[in-house]
Amino acid sequence: MRSGILSAALAFLCWGLFPIYFHAIGDVPPTQILVHRVLWSLAFLLIVLAWRRQWQWLAIVRQPRVFWSFAASALLLSANWLMYIWAVKNGHVIEASLGYFINPLVNIMFGFLILKERMRTVQWMAIALAALGVCWLTWQSGTVPWIALFLAASFGGYGLLRKTAALGALEGLSFETMVLFPFAAGYLAWLTMHGANAFVNAPLDTTRLLLVAAGPITAIPLLLFASGARKIPLSILGLLQYLSPTIQFALGVWLFHEAFSSERLVGFVVIWAALALYAGEGLLRSRASRKS
């Protein structure tokens, strides 16, 4: 249990600190960061697979249904990555954190609408409260928090596809990066031909090292998460997942000094109340289940 909690907490800690990494890359465009994240992640994952001699799963992906399922999940994952990178580099860390705060509630809605799962009364209340918070943020700012909603929806859709996937976390991410590799490599070749490759043109070797580090930075938290998720109850995992957006929110407010008015705080508090309602109900049900 302790090792599982530690592994999962470290994974969410790493994801929470991602804004610092993307800020450190400097003037590299978000699309190029995404490309390098795909390329170096695949290189790192292939090393891990070779070390573990874990290649049997490649036979499964030859099935058309499995292939197209992972092609769709790869598209959603890359869209989520690109939006998050863009948001961080354009001063929207707080709104990006909001997307991951409401993601669990989006997962519930997807389960209800697509998987036909039954929703409990408290879950309906939590979703209604979160929707009220989003409406408040829209009203007081005059614009829909589209970054947060896009991140929540894209990652929710990705989680929905992976929920019924035929591969585990390591194999699934490896195949998703394999699907994205031709597009990433082709785009990088095009940039090089036109003299716009930031990796080649970077004035500092530090930038190149940070781009290469995108591989392990992407893959290691996922492996930690996969390890921890197998060892601890879902109720604990559900609470730990809020560690990541909480860190992102704190970084946006205190490190990057993004504007955060008291009116905006009201909307966040309403959404946090919805999450507290959802998490509290889950904990009570988990305890009741263990007692019975």
Side-chain angles (χ1 to χ4, degrees):
M1 176 74 79
R2 290 181 180 178
S3 64
I5 292 175
L6 179 61
S7 296
L10 285 174
F12 289 118
L13 175 64
C14 292
W15 286 327
L17 294 174
F18 265 13
I20 297 176
Y21 167 73
F22 292 129
H23 265 275
I25 296 178
D27 297 327
V28 180
T31 51
Q32 295 199 39
I33 296 176
L34 174 64
V35 164
H36 283 281
R37 195 172 182 185
V38 170
L39 297 178
W40 297 112
S41 293
L42 179 58
F44 180 82
L45 290 165
L46 289 176
I47 292 172
V48 174
L49 290 169
W51 175 61
R52 299 178 65 171
R53 298 179 181 178
Q54 200 165 332
W55 304 108
Q56 300 87 343
W57 57 273
L58 287 172
I60 301 176
V61 299
R62 297 174 186 172
Q63 303 172 16
R65 184 175 179 179
V66 175
F67 177 87
W68 289 112
S69 172
F70 275 94
S73 66
L75 178 64
L76 283 173
L77 182 64
S78 60
N80 181 270
W81 282 357
L82 181 60
M83 176 59 74
Y84 183 76
I85 296 167
W86 180 90
V88 170
K89 293 182 73 65
N90 285 273
H92 300 289
V93 175
I94 293 176
E95 188 171 340
S97 74
L98 176 63
Y100 292 106
F101 273 124
I102 65 177
N103 176 247
L105 302 179
V106 170
N107 290 339
I108 296 174
M109 283 301 301
F110 281 173
F112 172 74
L113 295 173
I114 299 173
L115 300 180
K116 307 303 180 184
E117 296 176 351
R118 295 184 62 185
M119 288 178 56
R120 299 184 294 274
T121 303
V122 175
Q123 291 177 326
W124 279 115
M125 292 170 60
I127 290 174
L129 199 57
L132 181 64
V134 171
C135 289
W136 169 263
L137 290 171
T138 301
W139 179 76
Q140 66 86 27
S141 65
T143 59
V144 176
W146 61 272
I147 296 174
L149 295 177
F150 182 90
L151 289 173
S154 59
F155 200 70
Y158 174 73
L160 180 66
L161 288 173
R162 290 305 304 272
K163 180 180 176 65
T164 56
L167 299 176
L170 172 61
E171 299 90 341
L173 182 63
S174 299
F175 187 61
E176 286 163 351
T177 51
M178 288 178 186
V179 171
L180 296 171
F181 175 80
F183 303 98
Y187 180 60
L188 195 62
W190 184 86
L191 289 171
T192 304
M193 290 171 57
H194 289 78
N197 188 335
F199 187 87
V200 176
N201 300 335
L204 299 174
D205 289 335
T206 305
T207 301
R208 298 187 184 92
L209 290 173
L210 286 172
L211 288 173
V212 173
I217 284 174
T218 298
I220 288 175
L222 182 77
L223 298 177
L224 286 169
F225 173 79
S227 173
R230 289 194 298 266
K231 300 175 182 177
I232 60 178
L234 284 177
S235 58
I236 297 178
L237 190 66
L239 290 177
L240 287 174
Q241 72 179 329
Y242 297 119
L243 180 63
S244 176
T246 300
I247 295 172
Q248 295 170 20
F249 174 82
L251 290 174
V253 173
W254 290 301
L255 181 62
F256 302 125
H257 305 293
E258 294 183 8
F260 191 66
S261 63
S262 56
E263 292 82 4
R264 198 177 182 190
L265 176 60
V266 171
F268 271 74
V269 169
V270 172
I271 292 171
W272 288 335
L275 294 173
L277 184 65
Y278 162 72
E281 192 262 356
L283 276 178
L284 290 174
R285 287 183 64 87
S286 177
R287 289 179 180 176
S289 177
R290 284 200 299 269
K291 288 180 180 179
S292 62

